[in-house]
Amino acid sequence: MIDMTMDNVDVVVVGAGFGGLRALHALRQQGKKVQVIEASNDVGGVWYHNGYPGARCDVESYDYSYSFSEELEQEWVWSERYATQPEILRYINHVVERFDLRKHIRFQCALERAEYDTKAALWRVHCSDGTQWSTRFLIMAVGQLSTPKSPSYPGLDKYSGQLIYSAQWPKEPVDYTNKRVAIIGTGSSGMQMTPIIAQKAAHLTVFQRTPNYSVPASNAPISAEEDRRVKANYRQRREQAWNSPTGLGFKPGKQSALEVSPEERAQVYEAAWHRLGFGFALTYFDILLNKKANDTAAEFIRNKIASVIEKPELRAKLVPYDHAFAARRPSVDSGYFQAFNRENVELADLRESPILEFTAEGIRTNAKDHKFDIIIFATGFDAFTGSLLKPEILGRNALSLKEKWAAGPVTQLGIGTSGFPNLFVLVGPGSPSLLSNVMVSIEEQSDWLANMIDHVDRLGVKEVEVTEEAERAWVAHVNARAHETLYLTANSYYNGAEVAGKPRVFMPYSGGVRGYRRLLNKCATNGYEGFELRDKPLSLNGQAVNEGAKLTSVGTLDSPLSSVVA
Ligand SMILES: Cc1cc2nc3c(=O)[nH]c(=O)nc-3n(C[C@H](O)[C@H](O)[C@H](O)COP(=O)(O)OP(=O)(O)OC[C@H]3O[C@@H](n4cnc5c(N)ncnc54)[C@H](O)[C@@H]3O)c2cc1C
């Protein structure tokens, strides 16, 4: 490998998904010299990699799109309520060309190591293609669902058919027509691809570990009239999304699910079922907060699911029973459960008959030998921290991020962590992230970070670093908010339970995008409270490198953050 030392830049952004691209645009607007490095061949992040049949967003396209340019909003035409993966990828490429972003991105260039040069207050960035950058700021926009889990079944290498990962779907067409196909995993990806593959495969076997809740997408084409109507009031729609708890635009109902009659509740659920998608979870304000309230929604969904499954023995297996509705991420589906009414679709229940091994021809469970031409792993991700902890990141005193986060991620506002000056994370753990319309979170954080970097540049600040007190308070606050909800009652990727050996801590911030934005603003207004801004770097032992260096501003945390949440 050739060592190529590149120019110094102001900011290196790692990742060219929706997040990295948005950060790049915001920083370019501030006149910063930015280099984006991207491990894969092209832009798009998850939308580049997850090209499986049926892949589409489960937040409405009008809301799952950038809001920073009214011209962009007006000119782009979405064809469906929930856009497909190819359409989203076309949109991302359109944005990249329209705002001339591509020239700032280096592809096939994975961050392998970043070390903080304490004396110079610079990050030294080393990449897989031999390139090296020196940069003042390093922004990790590496994604929340960008490291697929790698299954380790015995005999996996013996299998002679086609093995595919839904999160690394091949770029060349996969022909599953008249083939015997297996899908392992029934999260959102498995649920989205099942009805599509079922239509053409000779036989489809779906391996299920945990039956999950799903709400119908009620997907539909967008008419020209609807497009005009949305675009005439787009600002209003955006305001509504920014001010809703999850960034989806749904306001939680004002009533408790327990204070209305069963008849009224049934009517309300019925109406929501047919049009709200994820919004179903907010029909009553306490569905995600109170188990008894949740039971009413869960029961309604179980009945709905059961009502479309024709075979009684399948009904018992497909209906979710072991966790509260939405405590794990529910799906928004288009005909998933109905697919099991087809003669060519079979359910393999992994709780009843676990996989013993892979064979040359397929999969052996303790119930039978399955033969497959194609096996698809839709087994999920090492969420939130998988991609953040893959590269070696060494902060002050060569402290590694892996060591620092050995017991789970610790951050101030999800944005930075002490010991790692000038390193920031986009939509990572400690922020609303996957508990929100991620697009809203990406835009909130990108603009905030670009403003902060511009602000500290003007002040001549060399180092911005989270204080230990601030991150302790933030972690306590994230936990306190999570305890108000039902999220902690289920095993899920929200709390690290999906990966063996991962620390069991709750990672996303459940206080909502509006509350979070208020905290970001309060932090900035109070001189970047919780961050130390230094006009000279600290030395290795924590003293100023040059005599007389002083702090231009010290973050203070007089009151616990929880007290300022609306
Ligand atoms: C199938 C699928 C559907 C989804 N649907 C929705 C939805 O409907 N609504 C919603 O809100 N969210 C959805 N999400 C969540 C999704 O992760 C976010 O919405 C959003 O796309 C994330 O953008 P990002 O830029 O933060 O991360 P990503 O899109 O994951 O991009 C991260 C990029 O960083 C690159 N990278 C990682 N490590 C390195 C490294 N060391 N060096 C260089 N490059 C690196 C990756 O190659 C990738 O291109 C979905 C996720 C998946 C997988």
Side-chain angles (χ1 to χ4, degrees), residues 276-322:
L276 288 194
F278 274 144
F280 183 87
L282 296 174
T283 328
Y284 294 104
F285 75 83
D286 52 357
I287 289 177
L288 286 164
L289 307 178
N290 176 314
K291 179 67 170 58
K292 285 210 166 82
N294 191 284
D295 285 344
T296 66
E299 191 55 26
F300 178 88
I301 299 175
R302 284 191 208 108
N303 288 335
K304 279 288 182 194
I305 293 174
S307 73
V308 298
I309 302 168
E310 287 164 10
K311 298 172 194 152
E313 71 281 8
L314 279 188
R315 225 174 275 152
K317 289 179 180 169
L318 283 163
V319 166
Y321 58 88
D322 69 346

Side-chain angles (χ1 to χ4, degrees), residues 18 21 43 45 59 63 78 80 85 96 102 142 200 215 239 338 355-356 416 447 469 482 484 507-508 547:
F18 266 128
L21 295 170
V43 294
V59 169
D63 305 306
W78 292 109
E80 289 178 82
Q85 173 268 340
V96 166
R102 197 172 284 274
V142 291
K200 289 196 176 162
V215 177
E239 294 280 344
Q338 292 84 340
I355 292 176
L356 298 178
D447 288 336
E469 302 88 305
E484 293 165 3
M507 285 180 279
E547 280 300 306

Side-chain angles (χ1 to χ4, degrees), residues 426-448:
L426 206 60
V427 272
S431 76
S433 187
L434 294 174
L435 282 182
S436 66
N437 170 358
V438 176
M439 193 62 76
V440 170
S441 292
I442 282 173
E443 295 210 290
E444 271 180 358
Q445 284 191 331
S446 297
D447 288 336
W448 190 88

Side-chain angles (χ1 to χ4, degrees), residues 523-542:
C523 169
T525 310
N526 292 350
Y528 293 98
E529 187 175 43
F531 293 84
E532 279 188 2
L533 313 187
R534 303 186 192 105
D535 60 3
K536 292 199 174 61
L538 284 187
S539 71
L540 291 181
N541 62 8

Side-chain angles (χ1 to χ4, degrees), residues 14-21 37-40 42-50 52 55-59 64 109-112 140-147 167 189 192 248 278 329 381 387 390-391 426-427 433-434 436-439 442:
V14 188
F18 266 128
L21 295 170
I37 55 176
E38 168 54 55
S40 62
D42 213 335
V43 294
V46 298
W47 299 107
Y48 176 72
H49 294 291
N50 289 261
Y52 58 82
R56 57 175 78 239
C57 54
D58 46 22
V59 169
Y64 190 65
C109 180
L111 172 69
E112 286 191 332
M140 300 295 288
V142 291
Q144 322 71 40
L145 300 177
S146 47
T147 296
S189 303
Q192 285 185 334
L248 292 158
F278 274 144
R329 195 175 195 277
F381 301 87
S387 294
K390 221 186 286 169
L426 206 60
V427 272
S433 187
L434 294 174
S436 66
N437 170 358
V438 176
M439 193 62 76
I442 282 173

